[in-house]
Amino acid sequence: MRKFLAVVCLFVSSGALAQVQSPGSFFSVKTAKPVDLVNVFLGSAGDHGQLSPAASYPFSMLSIGPQTYPNTHTGYEYLAKKFLGFTHNRFEGVGCQGSGGNILVKPFLGADPAKSELLKVSENAGPGYYEVGFSNKVHAKMAVLNNSGKHVYQFPKGEKGIYLDLSHCFVGRFVAEEHQVNGNSVSGWIDAKTTCSAGKYRVYYYLELEGNDSWKATSAHELVAMLKPDAETAEMRVSLSSVSAEAAKASVSKNSYEAVKSKSSADWNTLLSRIAVEGDTENAKLFYSLLYRTMQSPYVISENDGQYRSTKGELQKDKELRYNGWAIWDNYRTQLPLLSIITPDRYAGMVSSIADLYNSGKKDYATQTEPSNTVRTEHAIVVLLDAYRKGYKVDFAKIADSLVKEVNNLDYKAPDKALESSYDAWALSEIFSILKNKEKAAFYKNKALEYKKYWDKDFKDMNKRDVDQMQARGLYQGTIWQYRWFVPYDVKGLIELDGGEAAYLAKLDEFFARDLYNHANEPDLQVPLMYNATSQGAKSQYWMNMIAADTVIQNYFNDNSRGIGSFIGKIYQNTPEAYLRTMDDDAGAMSAWYVFTASGFSPACVGWPVYYLNVPLFQTLTYQLPKGKTFKIEVENYNPKHKYIKSVFLNGKALKRNYITQDDINAGGTLKIVASDVPVQNTDTENWISSFN
């Protein structure tokens, strides 16, 4: 890769957690396992992340989780005692009241499922499994491996059974289903609306009880299997597929619950260990709990033989793993760039799957024939450009016409949409430069440059009364203050529009001094990094540390309000109420922001393989890379209060720049950051700044 200069642009009672060392102790992967530190209850209370403790597997469309009453977006509320049963999919951390919640299973006592109440008295969970005990002596546990899972129920003696509702779905988003009963098994498909009800997905499934107990229909979509009165256990296998019920059946695991749980935990540990941190155990718990959240989606939709369904519902086949279940508008900023580093083997398939959307029917939200639950795909073009520049294969020529069609149909009506759309136009210009089509590259460059007229119209004058009001002038989620910075591809041009560096810095200082930054949502997520384009990069180092690990003041929330009173405290906490009120994790976007910041580098502009530096939150972090390589980040003069960079060394040589590249990371080696407790201005440091030149 060429060198880029000024280029164009707790649940602490969990059995797993109990094994962890005492507070204040030192964690190292040499002596303990990252998987044992994960708190799956983080962000599962109220509107503080929209996360669940469901049994899951990396990038699996199957997640078996508790359905509580009342519930939140994922079907689960940490504080709730009453359970309705267990469901088999959910999109973690997204808005619109969530989606999924298919195939409700409820163990019950007596003859009538509706009269049997499940009240939680104990709970235990970790990556790959979930267990709960109820006051009526029923105990449930479940584990997931790949797209297959296992339920195990323990009962007291007496009349009992298992209830199945095939029409269950969050927010009433059930559409239709067909099923077949064959003794102890049920199989078929379910159609449901996607997140925000924008589209529709079909999931195929196979479910069977072990033993001779049979399912009997009680209504069009409900079945019951009565168990023998003296039976004390019941086990059930289940699997999901995007291809067919037969494919789901073929992938059902025959292994025991303990074997499934153990293998899932081991696989989670392997992935979590791609980043090995060394430092305070409590900080490591938070780190790995958030890293765990970055690998829930997108979902593998391929079968072992390579078959999958496209977004047109058509059956396809490919040697490469295919994925679906996108929240790109949210996680293109952080989660996908993180996966490009820590899961390169999987990311190649994700990139191919995103590119394939342009062949099989891509909409901003979802089609009517999705192969899995999904959310939205705006800025997919930026992700593809970013991936290409990181060395991933993208056949732009094959999809160029579709990219042109998408960009030509972008909306510029509202101030925020004008800036968002200009980002995609810039990406298309860069893609045509890659394709050596100078005419089209120039055309879309000029189209992207039109952001300046929109910026002058709505974002230059900050003396108007509505500049700090949510949804002013038709903004979707955010304020004029928060959106005025959204020109990541041309910060040099933005500084000029703002009247030069001094004026630009004055506005940035005012933005943070007045607590106008909103970490509950993404529109201004990159702003703490934007001091790096100036002579005052230390202020970026300060704010990245403060937002990730210190006490901050927040006034804006994700419900398009400034709230009642300020939030004062730490945003990232290892508790069920982990995040700001109304702050969604957005499919790993906010978790990945923390992982990057804790690691000491963050994406400067998605579309360029460049990362701005800050002081890491650990003494040492080591990224495991392909072919046995490692990229180690170590902090000299480490102290949690040392927020500033004094100097940087890459493989023993002084690094006179405020950024590293993907090539620096992929080459492996050691990045040493010397920390300071006071701001340091290095006049000989090269600042990366995005630009059209």
Side-chain angles (χ1 to χ4, degrees), residues 576-588:
E577 292 186 344
Y579 291 159
L580 298 170
R581 178 180 63 79
T582 79
M583 178 177 156
D584 300 340
D585 189 49
D586 283 326

Side-chain angles (χ1 to χ4, degrees), residues 467-470 475 477-484 556:
V467 294
D468 61 350
Q469 296 172 14
M470 298 291 283
L475 297 176
Q477 285 182 326
T479 67
I480 293 294
W481 262 111
Q482 291 157 10
Y483 266 105
R484 80 184 305 269
Y556 293 90

Side-chain angles (χ1 to χ4, degrees), residues 456-468:
D456 273 333
K457 173 180 176 292
D458 279 298
F459 299 103
K460 190 175 187 68
D461 183 1
M462 300 306 291
N463 293 313
K464 296 181 180 179
R465 293 180 61 185
D466 65 350
V467 294
D468 61 350

Side-chain angles (χ1 to χ4, degrees), residues 105-113 116 118 138 153 155-156 158-164 209 213-215 223-229 231 234:
V105 172
K106 178 184 178 181
F108 65 92
L109 300 181
D112 186 352
S116 182
L118 297 174
V138 173
Y153 298 105
F155 296 94
E159 196 171 20
K160 63 183 72 72
I162 296 178
Y163 164 78
L164 185 62
L209 280 169
D213 301 300
S214 297
W215 294 100
L223 302 96
V224 167
M226 296 303 300
L227 307 176
K228 295 178 176 62

